[in-house]
Amino acid sequence: MTAPLKAIDGNADLPALMTELAARARAAARVLALASPEQKNRALDAIASAIRSRAPDILAANAEDVAEVRAGGATSAFIDRLTLTPARVEAMAEGVATVRGIADPIGAVTESWQRPNGMTIERVRVPLGVIAVIFESRPNVAADAGVLCLKSGNAVILRGGSDSFRSCRAIHDCLVQGLREAGLPEAAITLVPTRDRAAVGLLLTGLNGGVDVIVPRGGKSLVARVEAEARVPVFAHLEGVNHVYVDHTAKLEMAKSIVLNAKMRRPGVCGAAETLLVDRAGASVSLKPLVEMLIDAGCEVRGDAAVQRVDSRVKPASDEDWDTEYEDAIIAAKVVDGLDEAIAHIHNHGSHHTDAIVTEDADAAEKFLSEVDSAIVLHNASTQFADGGEFGFGAEIGIATGKFHARGPVGAEQLTSFKYRVRGTGQTRP
């Protein structure tokens, strides 16, 4: 067993530490790529068990993190993203169990064929290698990313936000315990043992080939920095400027339920709705009830002139509001002239993350689902279903909004590449 990396807070020798960390992860990745599904599942079983048995330790560490950010004046939405509760810790363990239950993607043959010369060719899933996951305030990402990478045969380097440092260490202890009990290298899931922001810059260099892919999970500034500076491929997760469009045929009670959940269930998550679009043809029926419902639930509404007229509590929307991910109990609202204008608004102001339509018109629903170019589009459902767990993936590393390799919730299958295996009987090329 290799000696553990010591936790540090500011260290002149940080480059050497990060290089060592990547080298250990690279060695672990080679072992993990060949691990059997049974061995990986034993580790996942042990991780789920450890999370449950160590829940008091995780909650105590999280309480210290929360107290620190609260004293620093953090917003309520930020505190919600950071906070773990007994129910959220149990959900973390349940997510591990779900990942354990999905089919192992490694070694799966996705296509096979035979050439006229008798050679057989097959395409088979393989791990990516070493994945660096850089995330901010949500400590559950440590568990999600760790177990998804384990299931997909990848080593992972986790760099959590400084605000969740204690929480991530407590969760990481559970991940390492699972690896240890299954006889897998502990460096397969590594937590960067420092709050020093310079560690992020070092990860972005790729650490001399030690990192194969980087996944940023956080705010717009983090993602922008990663995309600008990374020297290795990035699974981009841009901000969630998500929309709910309420068509004139929508059932009012359904629309109210979906809009309220999409915005207020957890306003700080990336799947939260940030803009409400209401069809002018149905606004006389739906607009005022929707706006009153949101404001009465504690949500600030910033609207165009039509929205302002239905309730004096509505604040005027600025041009910037249509492009803003609030991550808070704030929503921009606008009346549009039908489906085409709604789609155009989403095209001009959205972030290709998650958008929903509420309608009883099947043709309108199909047009929206076909023409809105987002990673996730929904009909008559809340945008807060933008979550790998809700897709049956058990967990997710993030919602990829790019178009290369992975798009939407990034689960175990999306953390694989492929190679071709060719079997011959002595063929040579003329």
Side-chain angles (χ1 to χ4, degrees), residues 290-329:
L290 288 169
V291 171
E292 289 180 342
M293 172 196 68
L294 287 165
I295 295 175
D296 291 345
C299 180
E300 178 183 316
V301 177
R302 301 177 183 177
D304 66 1
V307 178
Q308 292 173 59
R309 282 194 293 270
V310 303
D311 196 302
S312 61
R313 296 172 293 176
V314 175
K315 297 182 179 180
S318 68
D319 290 342
E320 292 180 356
D321 283 311
W322 310 121
D323 302 303
T324 298
E325 181 183 26
Y326 300 108
E327 297 185 321
D328 205 344

Short mmCIF file of all heavy atoms in Angstrom, two decimals, residues 290-329:
data_model
loop_
_atom_site.label_atom_id
_atom_site.label_comp_id
_atom_site.label_asym_id
_atom_site.label_seq_id
_atom_site.Cartn_x
_atom_site.Cartn_y
_atom_site.Cartn_z
N LEU A 290 -49.88 32.09 -12.48
CA LEU A 290 -48.50 31.61 -12.41
C LEU A 290 -47.62 32.62 -11.67
O LEU A 290 -46.81 32.24 -10.82
CB LEU A 290 -47.96 31.38 -13.82
CG LEU A 290 -48.50 30.16 -14.58
CD1 LEU A 290 -48.08 30.22 -16.04
CD2 LEU A 290 -48.02 28.86 -13.93
N VAL A 291 -47.78 33.90 -11.99
CA VAL A 291 -46.97 34.93 -11.34
C VAL A 291 -47.29 35.03 -9.86
O VAL A 291 -46.39 35.09 -9.01
CB VAL A 291 -47.18 36.28 -12.05
CG1 VAL A 291 -46.51 37.41 -11.25
CG2 VAL A 291 -46.61 36.24 -13.47
N GLU A 292 -48.56 35.05 -9.52
CA GLU A 292 -48.95 35.12 -8.11
C GLU A 292 -48.43 33.93 -7.33
O GLU A 292 -47.96 34.06 -6.19
CB GLU A 292 -50.47 35.21 -7.99
CG GLU A 292 -51.04 36.54 -8.44
CD GLU A 292 -52.56 36.59 -8.30
OE1 GLU A 292 -53.18 35.50 -8.18
OE2 GLU A 292 -53.12 37.69 -8.31
N MET A 293 -48.53 32.74 -7.93
CA MET A 293 -48.04 31.53 -7.27
C MET A 293 -46.55 31.63 -6.96
O MET A 293 -46.11 31.32 -5.84
CB MET A 293 -48.31 30.32 -8.17
CG MET A 293 -47.67 29.02 -7.68
SD MET A 293 -47.62 27.79 -9.00
CE MET A 293 -46.42 28.50 -10.14
N LEU A 294 -45.77 32.07 -7.91
CA LEU A 294 -44.32 32.18 -7.71
C LEU A 294 -43.98 33.20 -6.63
O LEU A 294 -43.17 32.93 -5.74
CB LEU A 294 -43.64 32.55 -9.03
CG LEU A 294 -43.55 31.44 -10.08
CD1 LEU A 294 -43.20 32.01 -11.45
CD2 LEU A 294 -42.52 30.38 -9.67
N ILE A 295 -44.58 34.37 -6.71
CA ILE A 295 -44.28 35.42 -5.72
C ILE A 295 -44.72 34.97 -4.33
O ILE A 295 -43.98 35.16 -3.34
CB ILE A 295 -44.95 36.74 -6.12
CG1 ILE A 295 -44.34 37.26 -7.43
CG2 ILE A 295 -44.80 37.78 -5.02
CD1 ILE A 295 -45.02 38.50 -7.98
N ASP A 296 -45.89 34.36 -4.22
CA ASP A 296 -46.37 33.90 -2.92
C ASP A 296 -45.49 32.79 -2.35
O ASP A 296 -45.44 32.60 -1.12
CB ASP A 296 -47.81 33.40 -3.03
CG ASP A 296 -48.81 34.52 -3.29
OD1 ASP A 296 -48.42 35.70 -3.11
OD2 ASP A 296 -49.95 34.22 -3.70
N ALA A 297 -44.77 32.08 -3.22
CA ALA A 297 -43.85 31.02 -2.77
C ALA A 297 -42.48 31.57 -2.41
O ALA A 297 -41.59 30.81 -2.03
CB ALA A 297 -43.71 29.96 -3.86
N GLY A 298 -42.31 32.90 -2.52
CA GLY A 298 -41.04 33.51 -2.15
C GLY A 298 -40.09 33.73 -3.30
O GLY A 298 -38.90 33.99 -3.09
N CYS A 299 -40.59 33.64 -4.52
CA CYS A 299 -39.74 33.83 -5.70
C CYS A 299 -39.90 35.25 -6.23
O CYS A 299 -41.02 35.74 -6.42
CB CYS A 299 -40.13 32.83 -6.79
SG CYS A 299 -39.15 32.96 -8.30
N GLU A 300 -38.80 35.92 -6.49
CA GLU A 300 -38.83 37.24 -7.11
C GLU A 300 -39.07 37.06 -8.61
O GLU A 300 -38.38 36.27 -9.26
CB GLU A 300 -37.51 37.96 -6.87
CG GLU A 300 -37.42 39.32 -7.53
CD GLU A 300 -36.06 39.98 -7.33
OE1 GLU A 300 -35.55 39.93 -6.17
OE2 GLU A 300 -35.51 40.53 -8.31
N VAL A 301 -40.03 37.79 -9.15
CA VAL A 301 -40.33 37.71 -10.57
C VAL A 301 -39.91 39.01 -11.24
O VAL A 301 -40.30 40.10 -10.81
CB VAL A 301 -41.83 37.46 -10.82
CG1 VAL A 301 -42.14 37.46 -12.32
CG2 VAL A 301 -42.27 36.13 -10.20
N ARG A 302 -39.11 38.88 -12.29
CA ARG A 302 -38.70 40.02 -13.10
C ARG A 302 -39.31 39.84 -14.48
O ARG A 302 -38.98 38.88 -15.19
CB ARG A 302 -37.17 40.09 -13.18
CG ARG A 302 -36.48 40.21 -11.82
CD ARG A 302 -34.97 40.21 -11.93
NE ARG A 302 -34.33 40.24 -10.61
CZ ARG A 302 -33.02 40.20 -10.42
NH1 ARG A 302 -32.19 40.15 -11.47
NH2 ARG A 302 -32.53 40.22 -9.18
N GLY A 303 -40.21 40.75 -14.86
CA GLY A 303 -40.97 40.52 -16.07
C GLY A 303 -40.94 41.64 -17.07
O GLY A 303 -40.52 42.77 -16.78
N ASP A 304 -41.42 41.31 -18.29
CA ASP A 304 -41.60 42.34 -19.31
C ASP A 304 -42.87 43.13 -18.97
O ASP A 304 -43.51 42.92 -17.93
CB ASP A 304 -41.65 41.72 -20.70
CG ASP A 304 -42.87 40.82 -20.93
OD1 ASP A 304 -43.70 40.69 -19.99
OD2 ASP A 304 -43.00 40.25 -22.02
N ALA A 305 -43.25 44.05 -19.84
CA ALA A 305 -44.38 44.93 -19.55
C ALA A 305 -45.67 44.16 -19.30
O ALA A 305 -46.45 44.48 -18.39
CB ALA A 305 -44.57 45.94 -20.69
N ALA A 306 -45.91 43.12 -20.11
CA ALA A 306 -47.13 42.34 -19.96
C ALA A 306 -47.18 41.63 -18.62
O ALA A 306 -48.24 41.54 -17.99
CB ALA A 306 -47.25 41.33 -21.10
N VAL A 307 -46.05 41.14 -18.17
CA VAL A 307 -46.00 40.44 -16.89
C VAL A 307 -46.15 41.43 -15.74
O VAL A 307 -46.83 41.17 -14.75
CB VAL A 307 -44.68 39.64 -16.76
CG1 VAL A 307 -44.60 38.96 -15.40
CG2 VAL A 307 -44.58 38.60 -17.87
N GLN A 308 -45.54 42.60 -15.88
CA GLN A 308 -45.64 43.62 -14.83
C GLN A 308 -47.08 44.07 -14.61
O GLN A 308 -47.49 44.38 -13.49
CB GLN A 308 -44.77 44.82 -15.17
CG GLN A 308 -43.27 44.54 -15.14
CD GLN A 308 -42.48 45.71 -15.65
OE1 GLN A 308 -42.57 46.82 -15.11
NE2 GLN A 308 -41.69 45.50 -16.70
N ARG A 309 -47.88 44.03 -15.67
CA ARG A 309 -49.25 44.52 -15.56
C ARG A 309 -50.14 43.61 -14.71
O ARG A 309 -51.14 44.08 -14.14
CB ARG A 309 -49.87 44.69 -16.95
CG ARG A 309 -49.43 45.95 -17.67
CD ARG A 309 -50.31 46.24 -18.88
NE ARG A 309 -50.17 45.25 -19.94
CZ ARG A 309 -49.29 45.33 -20.93
NH1 ARG A 309 -48.46 46.38 -21.00
NH2 ARG A 309 -49.24 44.40 -21.85
N VAL A 310 -49.79 42.34 -14.58
CA VAL A 310 -50.68 41.42 -13.86
C VAL A 310 -50.44 41.42 -12.37
O VAL A 310 -51.27 40.91 -11.60
CB VAL A 310 -50.57 39.97 -14.41
CG1 VAL A 310 -50.87 39.94 -15.89
CG2 VAL A 310 -49.22 39.35 -14.09
N ASP A 311 -49.32 41.98 -11.91
CA ASP A 311 -49.05 41.99 -10.47
C ASP A 311 -48.05 43.11 -10.18
O ASP A 311 -46.96 43.15 -10.78
CB ASP A 311 -48.48 40.65 -10.00
CG ASP A 311 -48.54 40.48 -8.49
OD1 ASP A 311 -47.96 41.33 -7.77
OD2 ASP A 311 -49.15 39.50 -8.01
N SER A 312 -48.40 44.00 -9.29
CA SER A 312 -47.55 45.16 -8.99
C SER A 312 -46.24 44.77 -8.33
O SER A 312 -45.30 45.57 -8.26
CB SER A 312 -48.31 46.13 -8.09
OG SER A 312 -48.64 45.51 -6.85
N ARG A 313 -46.15 43.53 -7.83
CA ARG A 313 -44.93 43.08 -7.17
C ARG A 313 -43.85 42.65 -8.16
O ARG A 313 -42.70 42.42 -7.77
CB ARG A 313 -45.24 41.92 -6.21
CG ARG A 313 -46.16 42.31 -5.06
CD ARG A 313 -46.59 41.09 -4.26
NE ARG A 313 -47.46 40.20 -5.05
CZ ARG A 313 -47.91 39.02 -4.62
NH1 ARG A 313 -47.57 38.59 -3.40
NH2 ARG A 313 -48.70 38.29 -5.38
N VAL A 314 -44.20 42.53 -9.43
CA VAL A 314 -43.22 42.13 -10.45
C VAL A 314 -42.24 43.27 -10.70
O VAL A 314 -42.64 44.43 -10.86
CB VAL A 314 -43.93 41.75 -11.76
CG1 VAL A 314 -42.90 41.45 -12.86
CG2 VAL A 314 -44.84 40.54 -11.54
N LYS A 315 -40.97 42.94 -10.74
CA LYS A 315 -39.94 43.93 -11.02
C LYS A 315 -39.64 43.95 -12.52
O LYS A 315 -39.74 42.91 -13.19
CB LYS A 315 -38.67 43.62 -10.23
CG LYS A 315 -38.87 43.69 -8.72
CD LYS A 315 -37.57 43.41 -7.97
CE LYS A 315 -37.78 43.52 -6.47
NZ LYS A 315 -36.52 43.26 -5.72
N PRO A 316 -39.25 45.09 -13.06
CA PRO A 316 -38.94 45.15 -14.49
C PRO A 316 -37.72 44.27 -14.83
O PRO A 316 -36.73 44.26 -14.10
CB PRO A 316 -38.61 46.62 -14.73
CG PRO A 316 -39.20 47.34 -13.57
CD PRO A 316 -39.14 46.40 -12.41
N ALA A 317 -37.83 43.54 -15.92
CA ALA A 317 -36.72 42.71 -16.38
C ALA A 317 -35.79 43.55 -17.26
O ALA A 317 -36.24 44.33 -18.10
CB ALA A 317 -37.23 41.51 -17.16
N SER A 318 -34.48 43.36 -17.06
CA SER A 318 -33.49 44.01 -17.90
C SER A 318 -33.08 43.06 -19.02
O SER A 318 -33.42 41.86 -18.99
CB SER A 318 -32.26 44.39 -17.08
OG SER A 318 -31.58 43.22 -16.66
N ASP A 319 -32.33 43.56 -19.98
CA ASP A 319 -31.85 42.69 -21.06
C ASP A 319 -30.99 41.56 -20.50
O ASP A 319 -31.00 40.44 -21.03
CB ASP A 319 -31.03 43.51 -22.07
CG ASP A 319 -31.91 44.46 -22.89
OD1 ASP A 319 -33.13 44.25 -22.93
OD2 ASP A 319 -31.35 45.41 -23.47
N GLU A 320 -30.26 41.84 -19.43
CA GLU A 320 -29.38 40.82 -18.85
C GLU A 320 -30.15 39.67 -18.22
O GLU A 320 -29.65 38.55 -18.15
CB GLU A 320 -28.47 41.47 -17.79
CG GLU A 320 -27.44 42.44 -18.36
CD GLU A 320 -26.57 43.04 -17.28
OE1 GLU A 320 -26.82 42.75 -16.08
OE2 GLU A 320 -25.64 43.79 -17.63
N ASP A 321 -31.37 39.95 -17.76
CA ASP A 321 -32.13 38.90 -17.07
C ASP A 321 -32.41 37.70 -17.97
O ASP A 321 -32.47 36.56 -17.49
CB ASP A 321 -33.46 39.47 -16.54
CG ASP A 321 -33.27 40.29 -15.28
OD1 ASP A 321 -32.60 39.79 -14.36
OD2 ASP A 321 -33.77 41.43 -15.23
N TRP A 322 -32.57 37.92 -19.26
CA TRP A 322 -32.89 36.80 -20.16
C TRP A 322 -31.70 35.86 -20.34
O TRP A 322 -31.87 34.75 -20.84
CB TRP A 322 -33.35 37.33 -21.51
CG TRP A 322 -34.42 38.37 -21.40
CD1 TRP A 322 -34.37 39.66 -21.86
CD2 TRP A 322 -35.71 38.24 -20.77
NE1 TRP A 322 -35.53 40.33 -21.56
CE2 TRP A 322 -36.38 39.49 -20.89
CE3 TRP A 322 -36.36 37.19 -20.12
CZ2 TRP A 322 -37.65 39.71 -20.38
CZ3 TRP A 322 -37.64 37.40 -19.61
CH2 TRP A 322 -38.27 38.64 -19.74
N ASP A 323 -30.52 36.30 -19.95
CA ASP A 323 -29.31 35.48 -20.12
C ASP A 323 -28.70 35.04 -18.79
O ASP A 323 -27.56 34.58 -18.76
CB ASP A 323 -28.25 36.27 -20.91
CG ASP A 323 -28.76 36.73 -22.25
OD1 ASP A 323 -29.18 35.88 -23.04
OD2 ASP A 323 -28.75 37.96 -22.50
N THR A 324 -29.46 35.16 -17.71
CA THR A 324 -28.87 34.97 -16.38
C THR A 324 -29.29 33.65 -15.75
O THR A 324 -30.48 33.30 -15.75
CB THR A 324 -29.28 36.12 -15.45
OG1 THR A 324 -28.77 37.35 -15.99
CG2 THR A 324 -28.73 35.92 -14.05
N GLU A 325 -28.31 32.93 -15.21
CA GLU A 325 -28.59 31.79 -14.34
C GLU A 325 -28.54 32.31 -12.91
O GLU A 325 -27.48 32.58 -12.37
CB GLU A 325 -27.54 30.68 -14.54
CG GLU A 325 -27.83 29.46 -13.66
CD GLU A 325 -26.75 28.38 -13.78
OE1 GLU A 325 -25.60 28.71 -14.11
OE2 GLU A 325 -27.08 27.21 -13.55
N TYR A 326 -29.68 32.46 -12.29
CA TYR A 326 -29.75 33.09 -10.98
C TYR A 326 -29.23 32.17 -9.87
O TYR A 326 -28.64 32.64 -8.90
CB TYR A 326 -31.19 33.50 -10.65
CG TYR A 326 -31.78 34.49 -11.63
CD1 TYR A 326 -32.76 34.08 -12.53
CD2 TYR A 326 -31.37 35.81 -11.66
CE1 TYR A 326 -33.31 34.98 -13.44
CE2 TYR A 326 -31.92 36.72 -12.55
CZ TYR A 326 -32.89 36.28 -13.45
OH TYR A 326 -33.43 37.17 -14.35
N GLU A 327 -29.51 30.89 -9.98
CA GLU A 327 -29.20 29.94 -8.90
C GLU A 327 -29.78 30.42 -7.58
O GLU A 327 -29.19 30.28 -6.52
CB GLU A 327 -27.68 29.73 -8.78
CG GLU A 327 -27.06 29.11 -10.02
CD GLU A 327 -25.59 28.79 -9.85
OE1 GLU A 327 -24.87 29.60 -9.23
OE2 GLU A 327 -25.16 27.75 -10.34
N ASP A 328 -30.97 31.01 -7.66
CA ASP A 328 -31.62 31.59 -6.49
C ASP A 328 -33.12 31.68 -6.80
O ASP A 328 -33.56 31.35 -7.91
CB ASP A 328 -31.04 32.98 -6.20
CG ASP A 328 -31.18 33.38 -4.74
OD1 ASP A 328 -31.97 32.73 -4.03
OD2 ASP A 328 -30.50 34.33 -4.32
N ALA A 329 -33.89 32.11 -5.82
CA ALA A 329 -35.34 32.21 -5.98
C ALA A 329 -35.71 33.47 -6.75
O ALA A 329 -36.35 34.39 -6.25
CB ALA A 329 -36.01 32.20 -4.61
#
